[in-house]
Amino acid sequence: MEAILETKYALDTFYFLVSGALVMWMAAGFAMLEAGLVRSKNTAEILTKNISLFAVACIMYMLVGYNIMYPSEAVSAYWPGVSFLLGGDNVASEVLAQNADEWYDGSYYSGMADFFFQVVFVATAMSIVSGAVAERMKLWSFLLFAVVMTGFIYPLQGYWKWGGGFLDELGFSDFAGSGVVHLAGATAALAGVLLLGARKGKYGPDGQINPIPGANMPLATLGTFILWLGWFGFNGGSELIVSNVDEANAVALVFVNTNMAAAGGLVAAMMTARILFGKTDLTMVLNGALAGLVAITAEPLAPTPMIATVVGAVGGILVVFSILALDKIKIDDPVGAISVHGVVGMWGLIAVAITNPDATLKAQLIGLFTILGWVFVASSITWLVIKAIMGIRVSEEEEYEGVDLGECGLEAYPEFTGTKGSGL
Amino acid sequence: MEAILETKYALDTFYFLVSGALVMWMAAGFAMLEAGLVRSKNTAEILTKNISLFAVACIMYMLVGYNIMYPSEAVSAYWPGVSFLLGGDNVASEVLAQNADEWYDGSYYSGMADFFFQVVFVATAMSIVSGAVAERMKLWSFLLFAVVMTGFIYPLQGYWKWGGGFLDELGFSDFAGSGVVHLAGATAALAGVLLLGARKGKYGPDGQINPIPGANMPLATLGTFILWLGWFGFNGGSELIVSNVDEANAVALVFVNTNMAAAGGLVAAMMTARILFGKTDLTMVLNGALAGLVAITAEPLAPTPMIATVVGAVGGILVVFSILALDKIKIDDPVGAISVHGVVGMWGLIAVAITNPDATLKAQLIGLFTILGWVFVASSITWLVIKAIMGIRVSEEEEYEGVDLGECGLEAYPEFTGTKGSGL
Amino acid sequence: MEAILETKYALDTFYFLVSGALVMWMAAGFAMLEAGLVRSKNTAEILTKNISLFAVACIMYMLVGYNIMYPSEAVSAYWPGVSFLLGGDNVASEVLAQNADEWYDGSYYSGMADFFFQVVFVATAMSIVSGAVAERMKLWSFLLFAVVMTGFIYPLQGYWKWGGGFLDELGFSDFAGSGVVHLAGATAALAGVLLLGARKGKYGPDGQINPIPGANMPLATLGTFILWLGWFGFNGGSELIVSNVDEANAVALVFVNTNMAAAGGLVAAMMTARILFGKTDLTMVLNGALAGLVAITAEPLAPTPMIATVVGAVGGILVVFSILALDKIKIDDPVGAISVHGVVGMWGLIAVAITNPDATLKAQLIGLFTILGWVFVASSITWLVIKAIMGIRVSEEEEYEGVDLGECGLEAYPEFTGTKGSGL
């Protein structure tokens, strides 16, 4: 018996590590997506933000975030307390020595694998922010926000749901994080964008909206494909266990539903864009796929693949109208992150009440507004403090010249933008 | 015993899901490869085609394709009948409840995992088409063809072999789809290209062939690397089971042979190009690697790694001459897809008769011509119907301006092609 | 019992294959990183080198390298003898039939999986070389060196450590290859660079150092993300076994430490660059992450995650100063490969003596200097012989025009470099 339990433990740990590696890969997806959707003069800086926020998230989550989100002994359902640094000890293996029978529930795998899976999630939430504030925010102000977001703001609301806090007790349902990850990230982004203001030239004095096309569509498409792939780890790994028949079937269904929701979102957004604009706008196609993925993330296990496709499709339609609506009210989000992760994240949370009979609309709405409220208030305060200390927006001149030269001291494509690129 | 069988079931399911995720990733590979090999003015449109065909393939295969290809009860060895939609039920887990002993054969894993693995294969076949018809075909005509191809044309011939139809009964051997996937995709592409005609300016009035260089070689190379990686899932997953010693050894051998065939194909094509042209043409190097992969796909298990290298190398030589030959007869295939997947796919099918003693040349040829004949006729009819309804080729003006602006309403690289790019 | 052992064998084999696939993916990472850091006129050629060296490495390692590095019966601890070609037989499965009990040690998995994992390592070592000699070395001279390096130079020092040779007997400790892979690759690169000389215009007559910016920062960033992802296979797979509780915990810890070292290296290099230059140089940020990864590779299991972060951070600081120092002494390394893999590789070997109580500084230094000495001498001789036969440096005119046209007969970005790019 023990040998079988050992093998299950090993399989679950390996499944967790592979899933985590796929989620880590999503950081590359966000980097490519955002680098493709900004102008060339701001590309090196957005790349710098994306890769460095990942490193900051890992360090902060190791130092404090993980212990806030998963406390060994919580102070209350609202506040977990702060235990100390992750010391490299491996809780699960200690449990193992004590009580081998518990393995059979499939409840155990390496604690380090759990940390690895969780740490790449917090990086995902933070990656959402960088796109929305692109082309005008100071690099180091952004990094300072990343420290607070990944060390404190994200882990606390994560504790409320996944750490066993009050939202979990209330019956709020969020399988892989339409709320805890995507809505949280988008809300922090929104708070930043409201303080930051729109890019120069985006909105004309007479109410016109000037399109600012992204510099590199293949990169944006590659980023979307990377995110799509990574999402199999994001949702598939969130089942947490694969080592028995029921769990294996569940993981497989999650893979299929995740894929179908992306497909549904893509096709719905493509058709919506074609009808609205008369052209098949690639950026809307990409955002449609991502919207489908965000929409299914709160509940990828309960629906059939057919229903999952519909959940994704609704997300795909929503995202197109949301992007247009945000522009109307002059909320300037260069990559559509607030629409994709925020608006569709909310849809994902609400959809759970439809697809999963165990969920209630009331609990879903409480969860939704708790995350929205907490992250918005905490982020706004953080952004304001950072603004007071060091400012959050680059100078007008730097914005005109491009933040690449000002912040990074180099150009992303020094040989390609000789004539047409300059002055945009 | 039951716990071991459960663990095996879980391991096989997980192996299948990981393999499927790698094959899904090949969609990104085709997108990057094709985006790199077309001109910048047609790049956004080829990206749109690649990512949206994946979504269309998933939806159509869920709705009808999977049930045609793997019918629960077939009408005949030629026609499976059409059962209904994939309802989210999980056949394997029902079997499990009934007869646990059968697990020991290793025959069972999650039915959903099987669907996931199969659905990414049909997308691969369809991805082959987009490259060959690039730079001149209407976007929505292409998508309509994708509906028919992935819902009907591909699944029927898939049934004949992998669903247990007459080709399988005949002894036709095609491990992972040199024929069922690659030749099928290339044949559909050929039918489209013949109706579509060459790009304007490709073939001069006096018989000269004008090279039209691709805009972005790093993308093309990235795409090739992605395909190479994904192919480990494509071939490695096609063993279907990994959970005992023989199967694990088989999967490992498939990984090694797949890799060696790619290496052999690359080196052979590189040398052939160097000898023929005096230069080491990168596009031939890339196509050589892909040719090696296609060649080994029909039988990556029987040969030793040394023989696999040779099978790949023959593919690599073939592909160079095939690309030159197709240009001579004015079949314009911007990315070489018909040569890589069609001509070398045929070589792969024939090579089985050499490397696998259980295969016969006769059965291989019957399979080859059945796939070629069925897909060519069915595709030609489909293309003709689409042509009659809505046309398949963009206007001359749109082709000159680039299909990006006409079809997608945006440019792939708006800042990079100021002077040299325009007017090409 | 036998069924459990079979399942463990299968799980370990699958884990090995997944790890190997991730390491294979690192080849794409090197290709993108190097293509992003050279000028556009030399991009197609560096891509050609990167993908073809992978193929050459696979073929040479199959033909001779693997048998030198892992001889079935060694002649001595210094020289293994050369047994013959890899015949496609599967040693592990033979052992299996003889002695099933030995499985319980977890010592066995498919021999083919082992070959697959090893062959992608030798390609990694070779990939390091291509970056350092970029923009001026002849393509086929480079490929000829790759033949010798991957068939002979690398395998012999690999035998000394991982094949059970004298360095292993001495207690030299190198978990996943800070020395055997990274330092070895960097040393071969250094030998090449010293013979090759700097790029034209890099160092002015009055001692000034002219920066030559890379053409495509998104590619360089993508390459870094790919390498970061692939490193989970590189280090995580080097534990060799995952199928019991202790091993699963070990693999999980290796994943976490690898990730934290990269994060530590990135943040340290970012801060160092910010302080030194006043700008947050993206290329230094990327090299910092890679330095962290190289530094932890020699011992990713012994330290806690906190210590791993510090080991990476030291690597991140080192790499910035090393890049500046090499430029001072006019060693022209366009991508910083010698600093990242060589200087930091040495730090990684030395750090083992600090983090792992079982290691001694003496043994680490003997290993370090043995690798450095052997690879430097053997590589220098090889480069000299190649220089005598066919030359190693392209003509001045070809260097000015770009090696893409001269070597590959095409341009990497034919439409993008109309004005600003030419003449750089």
Side-chain angles (χ1 to χ4, degrees), chain A residues 1 4 7-8 11 14-16 18-19 22 25 38-41 104 213-219 221-226 228-229 232 242-246 248-253 255-257 259-260 262-264 266-267 270-271 274 278-283 285-286 289 304-306 309 413 416-422 424, chain B residues 1 3-7 9-11 13-14 17-18 21-22 24-25 27-28 31-32 35 43-45 47-48 50-56 58-59 62-63 85-90 92-93 96 103 109-113 115-116 119-120 139-140 143 216 219 222 226 405-419:
Chain A
M1 201 64 207
I4 297 171
T7 310
K8 279 174 182 283
L11 176 57
F14 182 55
Y15 144 81
F16 230 33
V18 171
S19 298
L22 283 173
W25 185 225
V38 301
R39 284 166 292 180
S40 61
K41 65 181 179 182
Y104 192 62
N216 197 327
M217 286 304 115
L219 278 192
T221 307
L222 175 65
T224 304
F225 270 117
I226 292 174
W228 193 327
L229 173 64
F232 294 122
V242 74
S243 71
N244 62 51
V245 172
D246 286 345
N249 288 342
V251 173
L253 183 55
F255 268 65
V256 170
N257 282 346
N259 191 55
M260 293 314 306
L266 187 153
V267 169
M270 182 165 70
M271 288 181 165
R274 180 73 181 72
K279 303 279 183 182
T280 313
D281 184 314
L282 173 58
T283 62
V285 171
L286 301 180
T304 64
M306 191 77 80
T309 312
Y413 309 103
F416 298 168
T417 48
T419 50
K420 210 178 172 185
S422 61
L424 231 183
Chain B
M1 201 65 208
I4 297 171
L5 297 181
E6 288 231 6
T7 309
Y9 180 99
L11 176 57
T13 297
F14 182 55
L17 293 173
V18 171
L22 284 172
M24 177 270 162
W25 185 226
M32 294 301 113
T43 302
E45 201 253 6
L47 292 164
T48 307
N50 268 279
I51 197 162
S52 56
L53 78 82
F54 186 84
V56 167
C58 289
I59 292 175
M62 176 185 71
L63 291 179
L85 308 174
L86 179 81
D89 64 322
N90 204 319
S93 81
L96 185 75
W103 294 354
Y109 40 75
S110 169
M112 275 296 161
F115 173 75
F116 183 68
V119 77
V120 289
L139 171 59
W140 287 82
L143 290 175
N216 196 327
L219 278 193
L222 175 64
I226 292 174
L405 284 171
E407 296 281 21
C408 303
L410 50 73
E411 291 175 86
Y413 310 101
E415 301 179 39
F416 298 166
T417 48
T419 51

Side-chain angles (χ1 to χ4, degrees), chain C residues 308-325:
Chain C
T309 312
V310 175
V311 170
V314 174
I317 294 166
L318 265 178
V319 82
V320 177
F321 286 101
S322 172
I323 287 173
L324 297 176

Side-chain angles (χ1 to χ4, degrees), chain C residues 98-323:
Chain C
Q98 295 159 16
N99 191 352
D101 291 344
E102 290 189 38
W103 293 353
Y104 193 61
D105 307 336
S107 321
Y108 295 106
Y109 39 75
S110 169
M112 274 296 161
D114 183 69
F115 173 75
F116 182 67
F117 191 66
Q118 299 297 337
V119 78
V120 288
F121 267 63
V122 63
T124 300
M126 192 60 216
S127 289
I128 295 164
V129 183
S130 53
V133 301
E135 307 205 284
R136 57 210 193 279
M137 179 175 275
K138 285 185 176 179
L139 171 60
W140 287 81
S141 305
F142 174 84
L143 291 175
L144 192 52
F145 181 80
V147 165
V148 181
M149 175 75 181
T150 62
F152 305 95
I153 301 175
Y154 171 93
L156 186 58
Q157 51 100 37
Y159 165 68
W160 291 338
K161 168 63 197 144
W162 292 338
F166 78 97
L167 286 180
D168 193 48
E169 291 176 355
L170 231 108
F172 172 58
S173 184
D174 189 8
F175 190 88
S178 288
V180 173
V181 180
H182 294 278
L183 177 56
T187 305
L190 176 66
V193 168
L194 289 177
L195 279 170
L196 197 57
R199 289 167 292 174
K200 293 286 164 210
K202 176 66 189 171
Y203 304 111
D206 309 323
Q208 80 269 31
I209 300 163
N210 302 314
I212 301 181
N216 196 328
M217 285 304 116
L219 278 193
T221 308
L222 176 65
T224 304
F225 271 117
I226 293 174
L227 288 165
W228 193 327
L229 173 65
W231 230 288
F232 295 121
F234 199 90
N235 286 1
S238 292
E239 180 65 15
L240 307 181
I241 300 165
V242 75
S243 70
N244 62 52
V245 173
D246 286 346
E247 297 291 353
N249 287 342
V251 173
L253 182 56
V254 168
F255 268 65
V256 170
N257 282 346
T258 300
N259 191 56
M260 292 315 306
L266 187 152
V267 169
M270 183 166 68
M271 289 181 164
T272 308
R274 179 73 182 71
I275 291 164
L276 290 180
F277 315 134
K279 304 278 183 182
T280 314
D281 185 314
L282 173 58
T283 62
M284 288 299 179
V285 172
L286 302 180
N287 276 327
L290 298 176
L293 291 162
V294 170
I296 202 65
T297 292
E299 184 49 271
L301 183 58
T304 65
M306 191 78 79
I307 302 294
T309 312
V310 175
V311 170
V314 174
I317 294 166
L318 265 178
V319 82
V320 177
F321 286 101
S322 172
I323 287 173

